[in-house]
Amino acid sequence: SNTQCRLLARTACYLFDFLVEAASFEADKILDDFLKDFQDCIISLIHSDSAHDCLLSPTRVASTGCQYYFLFIGRLSKSARGREALDQRSILGHFTELLGMRSDLYLKLVISCLDYSSVEWGSRILLAKALKEGSEIAGKKFKIIKVLKCLNQCFAQLQFWKSVSSKTAIDP
């Protein structure tokens, strides 16, 4: 059921948080195994003659819990260790290829799942690419909302750093 699927997804998010914070060989292995499986699914989708035969097919993503895989990737993108694990499997590069499939479904999943708060990481570059090359009509409203959300995150960071610098300012 939908409720059970959401509960399992929430539990998995907590598991990924634990794996990222655990910093142990076993945790890293479990995380890497998941990312390898996800990477294989994306590569299969990108190179398949028929996307409908793949685990991440549009039909399956819309009707099963596999859409939550993107949520898990987003959860990992919120931490430095999670981003390192994603980089080791070139997930952003595969997402770039996925955007080339010209499917609004994948466009929405990819740009809505990632965290854009890290300036150094490539998620903002991927977002810019999606905004330039994404579907004109179907994704336009979605893209605008996502850009506003990203700008809101950037503004929140700016406000945070302004408050920190004002509290730590040394008066002569």
Side-chain angles (χ1 to χ4, degrees):
S1 75
N2 234 1
T3 305
Q4 185 180 23
C5 208
R6 278 184 270 153
L7 178 63
L8 291 171
R10 184 177 303 138
T11 304
C13 285
Y14 295 137
L15 173 64
F16 283 112
D17 290 345
F18 171 78
L19 292 173
V20 167
E21 292 175 20
S24 71
F25 175 78
E26 293 85 11
D28 290 346
K29 171 101 172 80
I30 293 168
L31 191 57
D32 188 60
D33 286 346
F34 166 76
L35 290 174
K36 181 175 182 343
D37 288 343
F38 184 73
Q39 177 186 39
D40 291 344
C41 289
I42 291 178
I43 290 170
S44 171
L45 178 66
I46 291 167
H47 298 295
S48 176
D49 291 333
S50 173
H52 297 287
D53 297 333
C54 301
L55 177 66
L56 294 176
S57 72
T59 305
R60 288 188 179 137
V61 167
S63 62
T64 68
C66 67
Q67 61 186 300
Y68 291 114
Y69 291 153
F70 291 90
L71 173 70
F72 306 149
I73 298 300
R75 190 68 169 224
L76 291 172
S77 74
K78 291 180 182 289
S79 70
R81 288 203 67 238
R83 289 188 296 271
E84 286 174 20
L86 292 170
D87 287 343
Q88 287 175 349
R89 288 287 172 187
S90 303
I91 298 298
L92 285 182
H94 296 306
F95 276 177
T96 302
E97 290 181 73
L98 197 59
L99 292 176
M101 294 183 69
R102 301 278 187 218
S103 171
D104 290 333
L105 174 69
Y106 300 119
L107 170 75
K108 291 174 184 179
L109 283 170
V110 167
I111 66 173
S112 66
C113 78
L114 295 174
D115 181 70
Y116 297 99
S117 60
S118 175
V119 177
E120 310 81 49
W121 199 52
S123 59
R124 292 181 183 189
I125 295 168
L126 183 68
L127 176 63
K129 181 175 177 55
L131 291 172
K132 288 179 188 173
E133 298 177 11
S135 170
E136 271 309 301
I137 299 168
K140 189 176 277 189
K141 181 178 177 184
F142 182 79
K143 290 181 214 174
I144 292 169
I145 291 169
K146 194 61 186 174
V147 169
L148 291 175
K149 183 179 176 186
C150 182
L151 290 174
N152 191 30
Q153 285 180 345
C154 293
F155 182 72
Q157 282 184 324
L158 179 64
Q159 293 301 326
F160 170 76
W161 287 112
K162 280 184 179 179
S163 70
V164 168
S165 65
S166 68
K167 290 177 185 174
T168 59
I170 300 173
D171 293 327

